[in-house]
């Protein structure tokens, strides 16, 4: 595909003179985007940090979690970093969190950033006040599935967390839990079981799930919870979550290789909320956060980071087919859509107004 990467924004590499060096570089495909997209570098990793993954946007600031190759169960006793960037990619602050950094999400009501660590075992969450830069660590009451916790979505007054690395096969524990903060602890209750009944989107058949790798989560434009069961190569839609008519839908994921649809593993998925905006995605292998732009995104469309490709592409929500947009990358993971349809000052005022209204409806103790 034709590259539309902007030359001025790519990383600056030292020029090495010599036939061997030139030949080796020529054999390595460069990150590139298909027309009409443009790919640029948003930020490279600060010194001594590596493996950027989850991304969260708070007003005009971008937060990126760096896993640094630490143990995903926290057994090495090491800390990770969450880096705060300005919208032009400059480092503004670095937070230290205990364990292996994984999920990052902004609570739209409290306006605090939730940072999840240790997706395989012994999980914790650090809640960060991004204005005062104060942070507090919370432990979980239990891990009934036998693993850790990976990602978060906030839906109205509810908080949902994916229950990753289940101990059982088949998985009879929860794949998604609802969460509340109580007495300094994150209390959890099952929302969706790993062996829940579901409907297969492609065939319409009634099936029983066996979710072996609950991972990233998001909300679609209709407010449905969307769970990526990464190694299972499928998305799970949870409609009417927590209600009597809750239902699960399974969407198998694939990409076209020739005329054949091949299963593909994906990580983060994001939905376009406005025609005006851009995509940020992190590549752990290239140690870089990229920015993907075009003139007019289609509202409601979905993009996903296919680490099994590896590529970033558009996702057909009916067929589950992922069509590559960005290729030449190594290990894409975190991906968000940044809506720029409102000026930041207007967005801040709207956020404060809605936050106050929502907080009046919700139990403030659940999220502080």
């Amino acid at each position: 595909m034709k590259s539309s990467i902007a030359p001025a924004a790519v990383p600056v590499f030292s020029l090495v003179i010599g036939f061997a060096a030139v030949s080796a570089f020529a054999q390595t495909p460069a990150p590139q985007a298909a027309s009409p997209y443009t790919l640029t570098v948003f930020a490279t990793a600060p010194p001594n940090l590596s493996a950027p993954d989850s991304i969260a946007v708070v007003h005009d600031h971008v937060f990126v979690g760096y896993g640094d190759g630490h143990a995903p169960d926290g057994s090495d006793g090491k800390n990770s970093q969450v880096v705060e960037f300005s919208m032009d990619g400059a480092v503004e602050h670095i937070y230290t969190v205990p364990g292996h950094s994984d999920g990052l999400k902004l609570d739209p009501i409290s306006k605090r950033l939730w940072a999840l660590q240790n997706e395989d075992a012994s999980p914790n969450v650090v809640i960060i006040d991004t204005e005062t830069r104060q942070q507090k660590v919370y432990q979980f009451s239990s891990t009934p599935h036998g693993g850790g916790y990976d990602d978060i979505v906030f839906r109205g007054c509810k908080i949902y967390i994916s229950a990753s690395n289940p101990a059982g096969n088949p998985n009879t524990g929860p794949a998604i839990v609802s969460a509340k903060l109580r007495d300094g602890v994150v209390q959890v209750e099952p929302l969706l079981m790993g062996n829940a009944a579901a409907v297969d989107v492609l065939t319409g058949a009634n099936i029983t799930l066996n979710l072996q790798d609950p991972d990233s989560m998001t909300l679609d434009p209709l407010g449905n919870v969307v769970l990526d069961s990464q190694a299972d190569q499928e998305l799970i839609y949870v409609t009417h979550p927590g209600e009597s008519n809750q239902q699960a839908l399974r969407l198998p994921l694939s990409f076209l290789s020739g005329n054949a649809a091949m299963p593909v593993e994906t990580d983060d998925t994001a939905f376009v909320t406005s025609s005006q905006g851009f995509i940020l995605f992190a590549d752990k292998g290239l140690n870089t956060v990229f920015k993907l732009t075009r003139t007019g995104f289609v509202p409601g469309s979905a993009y996903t980071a296919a680490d099994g490709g590896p590529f970033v592409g558009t996702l057909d929500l009916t067929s589950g087919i992922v069509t590559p947009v960005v290729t030449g990358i190594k290990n894409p993971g975190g991906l968000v859509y940044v809506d720029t349809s409102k000026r930041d000052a207007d967005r801040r005022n709207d956020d404060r107004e809605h936050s106050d209204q929502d907080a009046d409806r919700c139990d403030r103790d659940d999220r502080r």
Side-chain angles (χ1 to χ4, degrees):
M1 291 179 288
K2 182 180 178 181
S3 172
S4 56
I5 189 166
V10 299
V12 178
F13 296 99
S14 299
L15 294 177
V16 180
I17 305 300
F19 175 79
V22 172
S23 297
F25 181 78
Q27 294 172 4
T28 303
Q32 57 183 354
S35 179
Y37 297 89
T38 299
L39 183 69
T40 57
V41 170
F42 173 77
T44 54
N48 303 316
L49 299 187
S50 63
D53 194 1
S54 289
I55 304 172
V57 176
V58 182
H59 300 306
D60 54 350
H61 299 262
V62 177
F63 294 79
V64 180
Y66 287 81
D68 296 328
H70 298 336
D73 61 359
S75 59
D76 55 9
K78 295 182 178 180
N79 296 326
S80 297
Q81 280 67 45
V82 175
V83 179
E84 178 183 352
F85 294 95
S86 65
M87 272 298 173
D88 61 4
V91 175
E92 297 203 336
H93 189 73
I94 298 178
Y95 298 87
T96 297
V97 293
H100 178 259
S101 174
D102 201 16
L104 285 178
K105 285 287 170 63
L106 173 69
D107 176 2
I109 292 180
S110 72
K111 300 304 174 187
R112 288 178 170 85
L113 183 68
W114 286 45
L116 273 174
Q117 283 68 238
N118 301 340
E119 65 271 30
D120 279 4
S122 305
N124 70 74
V125 63
V126 175
I127 299 181
I128 300 171
D129 186 321
T130 60
E131 293 189 1
T132 66
R133 291 178 173 161
Q134 294 181 332
Q135 57 191 81
K136 184 176 180 179
V137 182
Y138 293 85
Q139 304 299 326
F140 284 83
S141 60
S142 62
T143 53
H145 59 296
Y149 293 107
D150 192 285
D151 203 2
I152 317 161
V153 292
F154 297 91
R155 184 181 187 270
C157 298
K158 300 296 184 179
I159 304 167
Y160 300 124
I161 301 178
S162 57
S164 51
N165 193 34
N169 188 4
N171 180 12
T172 58
I176 302 176
V177 297
S178 62
K180 295 180 179 180
L181 297 183
R182 286 288 185 268
D183 301 321
V185 175
V186 186
Q187 303 284 350
V188 298
E189 295 180 354
L191 175 77
L192 179 76
M193 302 304 290
N195 61 345
V199 175
D200 185 276
V201 173
L202 301 186
T203 66
N206 294 315
I207 60 170
T208 299
L209 298 173
N210 181 21
L211 301 179
Q212 287 297 302
D213 195 16
D215 197 82
S216 301
M217 290 204 302
T218 189
L219 294 177
D220 74 4
L222 298 178
N224 299 309
V225 175
V226 182
L227 169 70
D228 169 43
S229 197
Q230 191 169 8
D232 299 321
Q233 302 169 325
E234 59 193 25
L235 292 184
I236 307 300
Y237 280 76
V238 184
T239 67
H240 309 289
E243 300 177 16
S244 59
N245 57 341
Q246 173 177 306
Q247 184 180 35
L249 305 173
R250 181 183 71 178
L251 179 64
L253 301 173
S254 61
F255 74 102
L256 293 180
S257 178
N259 294 323
M262 305 294 293
V264 66
E265 178 177 299
T266 67
D267 203 332
D268 280 10
T269 293
F271 292 87
V272 173
T273 55
S274 164
S275 62
Q276 301 173 43
F278 56 87
I279 289 171
L280 293 176
F281 70 90
D283 188 313
K284 293 185 283 290
L286 295 177
N287 216 23
T288 299
V289 178
F290 290 96
K291 180 178 180 179
L292 183 67
T293 59
R294 64 169 293 168
T295 303
F297 282 88
V298 178
S301 58
Y303 289 76
T304 193
D307 57 308
F311 52 79
V312 167
T314 57
L315 170 61
D316 187 302
L317 301 174
T318 301
S319 67
I321 293 176
V322 184
T323 301
V325 168
V326 179
T327 56
I329 52 182
K330 289 187 176 181
N331 190 6
L335 182 148
V336 297
Y337 184 76
V338 183
D339 188 336
T340 60
S341 60
K342 293 184 179 181
R343 291 188 305 110
D344 188 63
D346 292 339
R347 186 162 54 247
R348 283 178 183 269
N349 291 333
D350 287 348
D351 285 349
R352 288 193 183 100
E353 180 180 350
H354 290 303
S355 177
D356 290 341
Q357 293 172 353
D358 290 339
D360 289 339
R361 296 187 296 105
C362 301
D363 187 343
R364 294 174 186 265
D365 291 335
D366 288 352
R367 41 211 328 139
R368 67 181 179 185

